[in-house]
């Protein structure tokens, strides 16, 4: 794609990076075939190629964002299916992130939109605030349908209430900061585990299962002092300063552990967080103080299934008689290019694993997307659930809390994190959601 940026404009490193990305686009349109919003809406401007044209025009002319640009960029899920499909290597993620930052700085949203976004940024990245908010949401949840029916800004409030759990999950057994020693006779290594922000509030059992599984396998786990939200939630809302501040704090926390007792890896159990943390090196590359440290952190970051694939988990304690539909989160398959490892682990554990039709399409969660774009998110969820149910599974497995929450609203099939199933098979407790489904057969002694 030909670009026409001035030399003065290209002095801004964000503009210079976007110009390089734009030049790689050859207008082929392959991205339209896998874009969820184009699949649903059929509007070229709701495809990656269409958004690229809008962003190019806005940046080249150094214009503030207008309502048209904001509408179509806001509809982007950042699922990154376009990057998997693109034959030219267009790094759409970095381009749309720059566009969102530009929008945040140059466009004044309607009051209701500003309030909603500010509330999400104030609450979701902070576990204690989020827990308090869920307490209020529990009592207001019966009003979700009425708010959604009224439409407009109230539809977003209805979407928030609908996503709130029907009962409090309680607190996890392994909340940090803290160190959890290996349970095996010989320690095989030491890893940091991202505690997370929304996940330990919505489902603390995921981190509990991860810690149990790794301890039995001979690993010491640390939940570092000073760790905060990875920054993904605010990053995708264009709040660059907040995202980078979170990144710096996490880099400091993990660097202190790596340079102290040492780390073999930084493990992440929410794939949306993993995509962002693996990008810290890029996000902070212009920061003279943090560039090198951030790059080292990104190199250490692994999804938990990446790490588990390379270690010995021991002998299974049970033989599961379950068919699992594996939902590959967009941030897993498109953002991190992890496709085989979770399914291989589940198969090795004895599950019958089935792929989901149209598995490349997003479920509609996408961070805060199911709150900010509730109608599109609902249509994507219903499509995803219909495809999952076609496989007739006993349980759904995935690696992202957002997908678990979103898909769980549309089906009665239990949905669990991959690591919860693995922890059960290799000696942990049976996940609560599986009790109504089946009891395990004892492994042959």
């Amino acid at each position: 794609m030909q670009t026409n940026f001035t030399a003065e404009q290209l002095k801004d490193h964000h503009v210079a990076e976007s110009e390089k990305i734009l030049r790689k686009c050859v207008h082929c349109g392959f991205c339209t075939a896998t874009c969820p919003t184009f699949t649903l809406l059929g509007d070229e401007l709701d495809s990656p190629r269409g958004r690229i044209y809008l962003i190019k025009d806005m940046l080249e002319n150094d214009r503030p964002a207008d309502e048209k640009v904001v509408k179509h960029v806001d509809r982007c899920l950042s699922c990154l299916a376009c990057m998997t499909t693109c034959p030219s290597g267009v790094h759409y993620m970095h381009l749309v992130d720059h566009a969102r930052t530009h929008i945040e700085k140059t466009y004044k949203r309607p009051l209701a939109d500003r309030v909603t976004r500010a509330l999400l940024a104030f609450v979701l990245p902070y576990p204690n605030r989020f827990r308090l908010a869920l307490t209020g949401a529990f009592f207001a949840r019966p009003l979700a349908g009425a708010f959604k029916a009224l439409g407009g800004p109230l539809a977003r409030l209805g979407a928030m209430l609908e996503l709130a759990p029907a009962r409090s999950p309680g607190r996890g057994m392994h909340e940090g900061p803290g160190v959890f020693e290996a349970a095996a006779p010989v320690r095989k290594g030491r890893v940091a585990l991202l505690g997370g922000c929304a996940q330990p509030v919505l489902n603390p059992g995921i981190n509990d299962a991860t810690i149990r599984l790794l301890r039995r396998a001979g690993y010491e786990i640390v939940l570092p002092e000073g760790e905060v939200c990875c920054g993904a939630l605010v990053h995708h809302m264009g709040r660059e300063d907040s995202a980078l501040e979170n990144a710096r704090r996490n880099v400091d926390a993990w660097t202190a552990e790596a340079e102290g007792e040492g780390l073999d890896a930084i493990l992440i159990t929410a794939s949306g967080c993993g995509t962002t943390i693996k990008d810290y090196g890029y996000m902070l590359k212009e920061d003279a103080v943090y560039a090198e440290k951030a790059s080292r952190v990104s190199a250490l970051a692994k999804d938990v299934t990446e790490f588990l694939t390379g270690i010995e988990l021991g002998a299974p304690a049970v033989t599961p008689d379950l068919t699992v539909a594996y939902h590959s989160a967009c941030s897993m398959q498109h953002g991190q290019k992890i496709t085989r490892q979770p399914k291989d682990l589940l198969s090795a554990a004895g599950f019958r694993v089935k792929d989901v039709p149209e598995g490349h399409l997003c479920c509609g969660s996408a961070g805060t997307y199911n709150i900010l774009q509730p109608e599109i998110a609902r249509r994507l969820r219903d499509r995803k659930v219909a495809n999952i149910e076609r496989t007739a599974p006993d349980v759904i497995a995935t690696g992202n809390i957002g997908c678990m929450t979103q898909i769980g609203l549309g089906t009665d099939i239990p949905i669990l994190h991959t690591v919860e199933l693995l922890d059960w098979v290799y000696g942990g407790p049976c996940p609560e959601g599986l009790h109504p489904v089946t009891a395990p057969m004892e492994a042959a002694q």
Side-chain angles (χ1 to χ4, degrees):
M1 177 181 287
Q2 183 177 351
T3 59
N4 294 291
F5 290 95
T6 66
E8 188 64 27
Q9 286 176 306
L10 294 175
K11 290 180 181 178
D12 182 316
H13 76 272
H14 288 302
V15 174
E17 288 292 333
S18 291
E19 194 259 357
K20 291 178 185 176
I21 296 168
L22 289 166
R23 280 187 171 273
K24 287 189 174 183
C25 179
V26 297
H27 323 276
C28 68
F30 282 17
C31 57
T32 63
T34 56
C35 175
T37 49
F38 183 74
T39 298
L40 287 186
L41 306 174
D43 187 336
E44 173 76 10
L45 295 180
D46 285 316
S47 74
R49 182 171 63 180
R51 293 184 181 108
I52 284 171
Y53 279 114
L54 290 174
I55 295 168
K56 175 181 181 291
D57 182 62
M58 175 178 69
L59 296 179
E60 273 188 342
N61 291 286
D62 201 17
R63 282 203 315 263
D66 58 27
E67 187 176 352
K68 181 179 181 181
V69 171
V70 172
K71 173 185 175 181
H72 295 290
V73 171
D74 279 357
R75 284 181 175 175
C76 174
L77 294 127
S78 280
C79 72
L80 310 182
C82 55
M83 287 179 57
T84 297
T85 311
C86 180
S88 303
V90 176
H91 206 302
Y92 178 82
M93 181 176 82
H94 290 158
L95 180 66
V96 78
D97 284 344
H98 180 201
R100 287 182 172 131
T101 301
H102 186 80
I103 288 169
E104 185 69 13
K105 291 178 178 177
T106 65
Y107 181 74
K108 187 172 183 179
R109 295 178 179 274
L111 178 61
D113 200 5
R114 297 201 305 272
V115 169
T116 301
R117 288 169 175 268
L119 181 64
L120 293 172
F122 180 76
V123 172
L124 292 183
Y126 304 93
N128 289 332
R129 297 178 192 176
F130 191 26
R131 283 192 180 96
L132 183 61
L134 287 183
T135 301
F138 172 80
F139 294 102
R141 201 170 187 269
L143 301 174
F147 285 135
K148 290 174 69 177
L150 290 170
L154 290 176
R156 290 179 171 178
L157 178 57
M160 286 190 213
L161 294 174
E162 187 178 58
L163 288 165
R167 62 183 179 85
S168 173
R171 289 181 176 267
M173 298 174 62
H174 302 93
E175 291 199 5
V179 177
F180 304 94
E181 295 180 354
V186 178
R187 194 183 89 166
K188 297 179 181 177
R190 187 174 192 267
V191 297
L193 177 66
L194 174 69
C197 49
Q199 179 179 283
V201 177
L202 293 170
N203 190 336
I206 295 171
N207 281 352
D208 285 347
T210 303
I211 290 170
R212 286 193 301 264
L213 182 62
L214 288 169
R215 290 185 68 212
R216 290 196 305 269
Y219 287 84
E220 180 175 281
I221 302 98
V222 58
L223 296 174
E225 183 81 40
E227 179 195 279
V228 294
C229 169
C230 71
L233 289 169
V234 288
H235 185 51
H236 294 311
M237 287 195 283
R239 295 172 174 250
E240 182 185 32
D241 291 342
S242 296
L244 294 182
E245 178 58 27
N246 281 21
R248 292 185 185 100
R249 290 176 66 180
N250 284 333
V251 167
D252 283 339
W254 291 325
T255 299
E257 292 293 341
E259 294 179 349
E261 295 295 318
L263 290 176
D264 296 297
I266 299 165
L267 302 186
I268 302 114
T269 53
S271 60
C273 302
T275 300
T276 296
I277 293 167
K278 289 181 178 183
D279 206 41
Y280 276 3
Y282 175 85
M283 292 166 64
L284 291 169
K285 70 176 185 176
E286 298 297 322
D287 187 318
V289 175
Y290 281 88
E292 186 178 344
K293 292 190 293 183
S295 181
R296 290 200 300 268
V297 161
S298 290
L300 281 171
K302 291 182 181 291
D303 182 78
V304 65
T305 57
E306 282 183 284
F307 186 76
L308 293 175
T309 301
I311 69 172
E312 177 56 51
L313 295 176
V318 298
T319 301
D321 184 20
L322 293 170
T323 296
V324 176
Y326 176 70
H327 163 71
S328 187
C330 297
S331 45
M332 188 81 85
Q333 61 172 313
H334 304 308
Q336 299 183 58
K337 308 303 181 188
I338 298 170
T339 55
R340 290 299 320 170
Q341 293 95 320
K343 293 188 288 186
D344 289 345
L345 286 165
L346 289 167
S347 294
F351 294 98
R352 297 182 296 273
V353 182
K354 291 192 175 183
D355 289 320
V356 176
E358 292 189 327
H360 64 282
L361 287 182
C362 184
C363 70
S365 174
T368 58
Y369 191 93
N370 50 5
I371 295 172
L372 298 174
Q373 301 286 337
E375 177 56 28
I376 298 174
R378 180 193 61 77
R379 291 174 63 186
L380 288 170
R381 181 200 68 201
D382 291 348
R383 185 170 181 146
K384 178 64 67 176
V385 167
N387 279 317
I388 289 172
E389 291 182 343
R390 284 171 58 191
T391 70
D394 298 306
V395 62
I396 306 162
T398 190
N400 192 53
I401 185 63
C403 302
M404 293 172 67
T405 304
Q406 174 78 348
I407 294 170
L409 286 173
T411 183
D412 291 329
I413 301 170
I415 181 164
L416 296 167
H417 196 286
T418 304
V419 80
E420 292 181 282
L421 293 171
L422 296 174
D423 174 52
W424 168 48
V425 169
Y426 291 103
C430 180
E432 183 180 349
L434 284 186
H435 287 312
V437 179
T438 187
M441 297 185 296
E442 292 300 324
Q445 298 297 317

